[in-house]
């Protein structure tokens, strides 16, 4: 059974701090990785995708991938109260299927 | 481009009834996936359709079924509803469903089974 694991949180950080969200996956053959943000009562929206080892930056967001350790993370710099949401890690499982973690709830305290 | 649309947005049903949910993908997207989201289980994959064919299916009972039409619109059906089927049902579309493509989610249908 392929799995994606995330700490459910809540992860609380003060405004302006760096929030670090982590995700591990079980399928060593996975090639595509995604971070989605989901506000309460809303549907997930894509923040970033990453396919190669290393860092990928987009504005205040940085995704980090380490395939050897089967680990993907999302850093949010200068966290804002509007970043408070649940962050979902998704892994491409091949055969037209994606596996999602249960999400980490982030609270940014003003 | 218009986003993924789902109808209806909210549904209340009673146990034993059946329900049909609809999803219209982004124009040009031919892959539609369905997910069930519950507080305890997170987002769980139901099935994926492409060109009117189901290409993959998650671990759900046969009461959950779906189909896709020639215009890529998709429907899912749940028969003999159970209390545990109460959830947010999300559909997501992508151009071809190949590994690595971003999936774009619709707003979801919130189903409450009483």
């Amino acid at each position: 059974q392929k799995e994606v694991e995330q700490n459910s949180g809540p992860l609380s950080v003060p405004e302006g701090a760096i929030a670090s969200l982590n995700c591990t996956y079980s399928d060593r053959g996975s090639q595509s990785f995604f971070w989605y943000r989901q506000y309460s009562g809303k549907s997930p929206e894509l923040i970033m995708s990453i396919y190669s080892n290393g860092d990928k930056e987009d504005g205040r967001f940085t995704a980090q991938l380490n395939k050897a350790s089967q680990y993907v993370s999302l850093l949010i710099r200068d966290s804002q109260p509007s970043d408070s949401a649940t962050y979902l890690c998704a892994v491409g499982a091949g055969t037209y299927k994606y596996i999602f973690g249960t999400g980490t709830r982030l609270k940014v305290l003003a | 481009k218009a986003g993924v649309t789902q109808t209806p947005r909210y549904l209340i049903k009673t146990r034993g009834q059946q329900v049909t949910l609809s999803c219209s993908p982004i124009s040009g997207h031919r892959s539609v996936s369905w997910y069930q989201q519950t507080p305890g289980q997170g987002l769980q994959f139901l099935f994926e359709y492409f060109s009117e064919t189901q290409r993959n299916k998650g671990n759900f009972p046969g009461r959950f079924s779906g189909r896709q039409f020639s215009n890529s619109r998709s429907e899912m059906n749940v028969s003999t509803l159970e209390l545990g089927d109460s959830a947010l049902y999300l559909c997501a579309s992508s151009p071809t469903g190949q590994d690595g493509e971003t999936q774009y989610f619709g707003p979801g249908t919130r189903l409450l089974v009483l």
Side-chain angles (χ1 to χ4, degrees):
Chain A
Q1 178 87 357
K2 298 175 183 178
E3 294 181 347
V4 175
E5 297 197 3
Q6 297 180 254
N7 188 318
S8 61
L11 171 67
S12 295
V13 300
E15 184 175 359
I18 296 175
S20 177
L21 305 164
N22 304 313
C23 172
T24 59
Y25 59 95
S26 64
D27 183 6
R28 191 170 283 280
S30 297
Q31 297 294 324
S32 60
F33 308 85
F34 304 84
W35 282 100
Y36 285 85
R37 177 176 61 200
Q38 186 174 26
Y39 291 112
S40 180
K42 302 294 186 182
S43 61
E45 55 180 335
L46 180 75
I47 298 175
M48 292 187 72
S49 59
I50 186 167
Y51 308 101
S52 304
N53 279 331
D55 295 359
K56 179 181 178 182
E57 188 174 316
D58 184 0
R60 296 186 296 113
F61 299 95
T62 299
Q64 299 176 317
L65 175 61
N66 184 325
K67 290 184 180 179
S69 300
Q70 296 174 240
Y71 176 95
V72 58
S73 65
L74 179 71
L75 301 178
I76 307 174
R77 288 182 300 282
D78 188 25
S79 295
Q80 301 297 309
S82 58
D83 294 325
S84 297
T86 296
Y87 289 80
L88 302 171
C89 171
V91 177
T95 59
Y96 321 112
K97 179 178 177 178
Y98 294 80
I99 298 176
F100 283 77
T102 52
T104 298
R105 193 155 60 99
L106 173 66
K107 285 185 170 181
V108 180
L109 308 172
Chain B
K1 269 188 184 178
V4 179
T5 59
Q6 291 186 245
T7 56
R9 295 292 311 279
Y10 303 94
L11 266 178
I12 300 176
K13 293 286 187 179
T14 56
R15 278 182 300 173
Q17 288 186 309
Q18 76 165 25
V19 66
T20 298
L21 313 181
S22 180
C23 172
S24 292
I26 291 171
S27 177
H29 286 193
R30 296 168 63 192
S31 170
V32 175
S33 296
W34 288 90
Y35 295 86
Q36 180 194 67
Q37 188 174 35
T38 57
Q41 299 295 317
L43 263 166
Q44 291 192 290
F45 174 76
L46 280 156
F47 27 65
E48 189 265 359
Y49 285 88
F50 179 83
S51 290
E52 303 177 66
T53 300
Q54 185 184 91
R55 296 193 296 189
N56 203 342
K57 188 178 191 310
N59 296 323
F60 280 83
R63 299 185 298 107
F64 292 82
S65 63
R67 59 177 174 168
Q68 187 180 37
F69 301 94
S70 59
N71 62 358
S72 296
R73 189 177 70 85
S74 178
E75 290 182 345
M76 70 163 280
N77 183 275
V78 188
S79 62
T80 319
L81 284 166
E82 301 178 358
L83 295 179
D85 297 333
S86 295
L88 178 66
Y89 290 89
L90 293 159
C91 80
S93 77
S94 66
T96 67
Q98 296 292 334
D99 193 9
E101 282 184 355
T102 297
Q103 291 193 316
Y104 296 91
F105 284 87
T109 295
R110 191 166 294 280
L111 172 64
L112 176 62
V113 182
L114 302 176

